Amino acid sequence: MWSKRSSRSLGKALLLSALSGVFYGLSQPGIGLWPLGWFSLLPLLYAVNNRRPKEAFSIGSFGGTVAFLVTCFWIVVAVNRYGGINYLGALAILLLLCLYLGLYFGVFSLGVTVLPKNTAFAFGGASLWTLLEYLRGHLLTGFPWAMLSHSQWRIPILLQISDLGGAHLLSFLMAFFNLALFLSLKGKRKALFYALIGIGLSLGYGLFRINEKDPSPRYKVAIIQPNIEQLIKWDKAFQRQILKIHKLLTLKTLSQKPDLIIWPETAFPQYFPQGELVEELLQFLHTLGTPLVFGALRVEKEKTFNSAFLFSQDRLSFYDKVHLVPFGEYLPFRNTIERLFGSVKEAVPGDINPGEEIKVLILPWGKAGILICFEIIFPELSNEAVKRGAELLITITNDAWFGKTSAPYQHLAQAVFRSVEQRRWILRSANTGISAVINPKGRIIKETPLFKRCYFVAPFDLSKKRTLYGETEKMWPFLFLGIFILSNLQRSNRNRSF
């Protein structure tokens, strides 16, 4: 029977929910207190225990909002310092986004109140959590940022199950442990036994995968990190100097005979091929004799694309970014927004156009899938590249927008999971860092510090193998949905509460 709660009880519940949010945020990359991820939902579960569904939704949404305020505070830096929006407006944008993201915690909290308080509670709750992460990754163009599993990005042994079920499988395991621990503290320990078996199997699989002997890498890549300040990146007075910086850093790598050179997103500081520096760039590329990937804004028939170019064997091929950043690269409902609030061209000057499809670019010795910036956070895009024959993945980005915050680490963590999910080397060039080379086991072989002009040469290899996750990616949401439905079928009046 549901008991009435006093305002003091509600205040305690909100504090517990906020504590969950703080734990969740602190566990994420950047701050990186990763063990908290395994306990971050526990205070929230106490907060909503025996609450009415409507109350649980509100309490959970509050905790979720706190979680993303801790995780995504860097949005204020991005939209204020580089978007031209004052602090009050930047804080409002952050709060609106976090309120939206907090709703997923609210739905989770509502869901667990109607689940039976037995082992099905852990299975149903974990599957609901995972389904909500899937939904967050697709609804309103998708924002699968700071998932529960991402807190474990520096623990390779735990990441290995991602080639079976993606980052979502690890999220399921972590949510299941949180729920099972809650049940155990309420005197029902069967689910915790299952959770420990699941963790043990995952660690065993991880140990097996990590100890597999890999062939020695056959190729070398030169990663260029020019560290161009965002405020001067498009200033005409600095454009020739910016190109010169890229060229000089590239020339320093040639003594190590790299097989591939990678510049970051929009490395070329003008529109391509209209810019006056295009000829200078092409002449430089012709003299190198080494394949080179670079980013630039491409203009065709009065349309602008965020593109990655590959110059190889005197041929230029390109890929246009297909998944754009809303409010960054384009403004949804621009006409309506400007009619209501006036011009916002200073914040979002013009709309970038999306490319038509994921492409694989051909190198002399293999095939590369290229993901630009934000695209690396969507597992379905890297999977599509591998389906089309990509033997390695390249990601180029400009994270200068984030400043010295946790965001560059959160962005890099996504690439770590993509490497394991597809068992592909990932080569990452970032304008201001973090540039990195990641092997198929999710180990970062080499990485750069933030906001330092530098370069490095590191080994890498190719792979043609497909993973279970790669073959079954679209099936996993239906599996979790089935688990959730079966868990609800066990509900009865006598086990709805403790």
Side-chain angles (χ1 to χ4, degrees):
M1 184 175 180
W2 301 100
S3 61
K4 293 183 178 180
R5 300 289 182 173
S6 65
S7 59
R8 180 181 294 180
S9 174
L10 179 60
K12 181 180 178 182
L14 290 172
L15 283 173
L16 284 170
S17 181
L19 183 62
S20 262
V22 171
F23 282 179
Y24 190 95
L26 293 178
S27 73
Q28 291 295 319
I31 301 173
L33 300 178
W34 64 268
L36 290 179
W38 293 90
F39 306 95
S40 59
L41 303 182
L42 194 58
L44 176 60
L45 294 170
Y46 272 99
V48 301
N49 183 41
N50 289 338
R51 293 276 176 180
R52 294 183 178 89
K54 187 176 179 180
E55 283 184 319
F57 175 79
S58 299
I59 293 167
S61 296
F62 177 74
T65 301
V66 171
F68 286 101
L69 283 171
V70 176
T71 303
C72 298
F73 67 91
W74 48 264
I75 286 172
V76 173
V77 176
V79 301
N80 169 256
R81 187 180 301 173
Y82 303 113
I85 297 175
N86 62 39
Y87 270 114
L88 189 60
L91 287 168
I93 290 170
L94 172 65
L95 182 58
L96 285 172
L97 175 64
C98 293
L99 284 169
Y100 161 68
L101 295 172
L103 295 177
Y104 292 93
F105 277 65
V107 175
F108 168 74
S109 300
L110 184 155
V112 297
T113 64
V114 299
L115 285 167
K117 299 304 187 289
N118 53 30
T119 304
F121 177 78
F123 280 103
S127 59
L128 176 60
W129 177 272
T130 312
L131 283 167
L132 288 167
E133 286 193 339
Y134 268 106
L135 187 62
R136 178 157 65 89
H138 292 84
L139 193 63
L140 301 178
T141 80
F143 190 61
W145 192 273
M147 288 166 43
L148 184 58
S149 56
H150 293 162
S151 62
Q152 310 300 300
W153 74 296
R154 292 283 194 182
I155 317 296
I157 194 170
L158 288 170
L159 305 185
Q160 303 311 307
I161 60 171
S162 299
D163 73 347
L164 304 175
H168 294 288
L169 184 56
L170 181 54
S171 282
F172 176 85
L173 180 63
M174 294 178 70
F176 189 92
F177 178 79
N178 273 272
L179 290 149
L181 184 59
F182 175 75
L183 284 173
S184 178
L185 293 171
K186 292 290 185 178
K188 300 184 177 183
R189 296 181 175 82
K190 188 176 180 180
L192 185 60
F193 174 71
Y194 289 143
L196 294 175
I197 288 177
I199 292 171
L201 289 173
S202 298
L203 291 173
Y205 181 76
L207 189 64
F208 167 73
R209 282 297 198 178
I210 283 175
N211 288 332
E212 279 186 315
K213 190 170 182 180
D214 297 319
S216 298
R218 296 167 290 171
Y219 307 100
K220 290 189 290 184
V221 62
I223 302 288
I224 306 302
Q225 182 171 302
N227 193 34
I228 307 300
E229 293 181 30
Q230 190 61 33
L231 295 175
I232 69 167
K233 190 169 175 60
W234 298 105
D235 189 328
K236 289 184 178 180
F238 293 94
Q239 289 177 349
R240 193 171 296 275
Q241 180 184 347
I242 289 170
L243 180 58
K244 183 179 179 181
I245 289 168
H246 285 83
K247 290 164 63 178
L248 288 175
L249 289 171
T250 300
L251 291 172
K252 289 180 179 181
T253 71
L254 297 184
S255 62
Q256 298 182 61
K257 298 181 179 180
D259 300 284
L260 175 64
I261 301 166
I262 305 177
W263 293 1
E265 179 187 16
T266 59
F268 183 67
Q270 297 176 342
Y271 290 103
F272 195 96
Q274 290 83 358
E276 63 183 29
L277 295 175
V278 168
E279 285 303 316
E280 181 181 339
L281 171 65
L282 292 176
Q283 186 177 2
F284 176 74
L285 296 176
H286 277 287
T287 61
L288 277 180
T290 302
L292 188 146
V293 171
F294 68 94
L297 293 179
R298 187 178 74 86
V299 177
E300 181 183 344
K301 297 179 181 179
E302 299 184 351
K303 289 185 176 181
T304 304
F305 302 88
N306 187 353
S307 304
F309 291 84
L310 168 64
F311 187 86
S312 177
Q313 297 179 317
D314 293 331
R315 292 178 63 250
L316 194 65
S317 54
F318 64 87
Y319 159 70
D320 296 326
K321 186 177 183 182
V322 298
H323 199 129
L324 303 176
V325 182
F327 303 100
E329 292 174 307
Y330 74 100
L331 183 62
F333 314 112
R334 177 183 287 274
N335 291 337
T336 302
I337 289 173
E338 292 192 336
R339 195 181 307 121
L340 293 172
F341 302 106
S343 176
V344 290
K345 285 188 176 179
E346 186 178 358
V348 189
D351 291 340
I352 303 293
N353 291 274
E356 293 181 357
E357 60 182 359
I358 290 289
K359 281 185 181 178
V360 171
L361 302 185
I362 308 301
L363 290 150
W365 28 260
K367 298 177 182 178
I370 300 187
L371 301 167
I372 301 174
C373 187
F374 188 62
E375 292 183 316
I376 196 67
I377 78 174
F378 298 98
E380 62 270 18
L381 297 184
S382 57
N383 194 37
E384 182 62 27
V386 171
K387 279 183 179 178
R388 293 179 178 229
E391 298 165 283
L392 78 151
L393 296 171
I394 296 170
T395 178
I396 59 175
T397 187
N398 175 25
D399 285 357
W401 304 95
F402 298 145
K404 293 182 179 179
T405 68
S406 57
Y409 299 93
Q410 293 166 8
H411 199 186
L412 175 61
Q414 302 268 0
V416 170
F417 276 90
R418 302 297 87 81
S419 68
V420 182
E421 287 168 354
Q422 303 299 332
R423 295 296 179 189
R424 292 294 186 272
W425 286 81
I426 289 187
L427 316 179
R428 187 179 200 260
S429 175
N431 173 27
T432 55
I434 304 166
S435 300
V437 169
I438 308 165
N439 77 6
K441 294 176 180 177
R443 283 199 172 116
I444 299 176
I445 302 302
K446 185 81 174 178
E447 66 181 294
T448 61
L450 282 171
F451 292 95
K452 181 179 179 181
R453 183 167 296 159
C454 57
Y455 67 89
F456 67 83
V457 177
F460 73 97
D461 212 336
L462 307 176
S463 175
K464 295 180 183 291
K465 295 178 181 178
R466 296 298 309 278
T467 64
L468 177 64
Y469 175 69
E471 298 285 2
T472 62
E473 174 214 348
K474 289 180 168 53
M475 295 172 55
W476 283 93
F478 297 102
L479 174 62
F480 292 123
L481 178 61
I483 294 172
F484 180 69
I485 292 171
L486 288 173
S487 299
N488 269 282
L489 292 177
Q490 296 191 39
R491 188 172 62 213
S492 67
N493 291 327
R494 62 183 174 83
N495 61 9
R496 286 180 63 193
S497 61
F498 292 104

